[in-house]
């Protein structure tokens, strides 16, 4: 009987990763499949009550975490993003400002909301369509992925959001080498807050709070 149950648990887990792999091409965003699977695996492993992402876009890095929470049968996933051209160009150089200024943020938001329904995570996901400065992060976050505006905003996001991650919890940063050096400065701040680097992930890395 025990072997039967173990087989069922394994097949559900394999199914989760297969679903993420199949759906990834339909999500707008930048997270490569390895990052999607790695973030889902982290959620499966630690069974978090509360995960949050700043800078969601089409959900490429957010949806895998929410799907893994659905698989776990526990937890909430909070999405914070204004989905607004004005916010996305704030503080950016002309090339990035042009890129972000031409994106139809309403369409990306609408498609993301459709994907929440398609992944069956609508009871898990709470969406806040606001700039990160205008959202008050809850205490005791288990995982926060900070991938919003890569200006001095990145440092503010670490100050306001990473400080709410419980000791033992995880913070994921992206685009560490983004032009301007603000994301690297935010990483330095993360270390001051008591986080250590665990492993690289795509163009970013995963950190754990040890104090
Ligand atoms: C690099 S994209 C996120 C990519 C996504 N995490 C992925 O892996 O595909 C940056 C996102 O930050 C959002 N953003 C811009 N300004 C923001 C702000 N002040 N607060 C929160 N999010 C912001 C943009 O709307 C955009 O969706």
């Amino acid at each position: 009987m025990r072997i039967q149950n173990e087989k069922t648990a394994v097949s559900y887990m394999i199914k989760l990763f297969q679903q993420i792999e199949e759906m990834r091409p339909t999500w707008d965003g930048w997270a490569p499949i390895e990052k999607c699977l790695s973030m889902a695996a982290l959620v499966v492993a630690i069974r978090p009550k509360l995960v949050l992402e700043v800078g969601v876009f089409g959900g490429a890095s957010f949806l895998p975490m929410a799907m893994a929470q659905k698989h776990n049968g526990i937890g909430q996933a909070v999405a914070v993003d204004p989905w607004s051209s004005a916010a996305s160009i704030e503080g950016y150089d002309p090339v990035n400002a042009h890129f972000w200024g031409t994106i139809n943020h309403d369409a990306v938001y609408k498609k993301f909301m459709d994907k929440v329904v398609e992944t069956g995570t609508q009871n898990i996901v709470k969406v806040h369509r606001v700039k990160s400065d205008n959202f008050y992060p809850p205490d005791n976050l288990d995982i926060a992925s900070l991938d919003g505006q890569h200006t001095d905003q990145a440092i503010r996001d670490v100050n306001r959001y990473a400080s709410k991650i419980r000791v033992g919890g995880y913070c994921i940063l992206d685009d560490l080498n983004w032009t301007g050096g603000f994301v690297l400065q935010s990483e330095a701040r993360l270390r001051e807050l008591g986080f250590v680097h665990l492993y690289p992930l795509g163009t970013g890395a995963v950190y754990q709070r040890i104090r």
Side-chain angles (χ1 to χ4, degrees), residues 73-84:
I74 180 175
Q76 269 198 349
V78 178
V80 181
D81 193 314
W83 284 281
S84 131

Side-chain angles (χ1 to χ4, degrees), residues 29-31 54-57 60-61 81-82 87-88 100 131-132 147-149:
W30 288 269
V54 169
V56 176
F57 200 67
S61 48
D81 193 314
S88 284
W100 286 99
K131 287 162 73 168
S132 55
D147 193 14
Q149 200 68 344

Side-chain angles (χ1 to χ4, degrees), residues 52 80 130-139 160-161 164:
L52 176 148
V80 181
V130 292
K131 287 162 73 168
S132 55
D133 279 346
N134 297 333
F135 180 76
Y136 294 89
D139 292 328
R160 295 188 60 248
Y161 288 80
K164 296 296 180 102

Side-chain angles (χ1 to χ4, degrees), residues 89-159:
I89 66 174
E90 229 172 79
Y92 272 171
D93 58 277
V95 174
N96 274 301
H98 176 74
F99 174 81
W100 286 99
T102 53
I103 286 178
N104 182 340
H105 285 69
D106 277 333
V108 174
Y109 168 72
K110 191 180 171 308
K111 190 170 162 194
F112 166 69
M113 295 303 283
D114 289 345
K115 297 296 170 186
V116 169
V117 174
E118 209 175 288
T119 53
T121 55
Q122 60 272 44
N123 293 331
I124 291 159
V125 171
K126 301 277 175 259
V127 179
H128 299 272
R129 193 175 181 180
V130 292
K131 287 162 73 168
S132 55
D133 279 346
N134 297 333
F135 180 76
Y136 294 89
D139 292 328
N140 289 320
L141 291 171
D142 296 294
I143 301 175
S145 163
L146 302 181
D147 193 14
Q149 200 68 344
H150 297 337
T151 56
D152 56 345
Q153 182 69 57
I155 303 166
R156 280 204 300 285
D157 288 345
V158 162
N159 277 329

Side-chain angles (χ1 to χ4, degrees), residues 3 5 22 24-25 30 37-38 48 55 64 66 68 73 78 86 91 112 129 142 147 152 156 175 183 199 207:
I3 289 173
N5 287 344
E22 279 162 20
R24 172 64 190 92
W30 288 269
L37 296 179
S38 179
V78 178
F112 166 69
R129 193 175 181 180
D142 296 294
D147 193 14
D152 56 345
R156 280 204 300 285
D175 296 324
V183 184
Y199 52 90
Y207 304 82

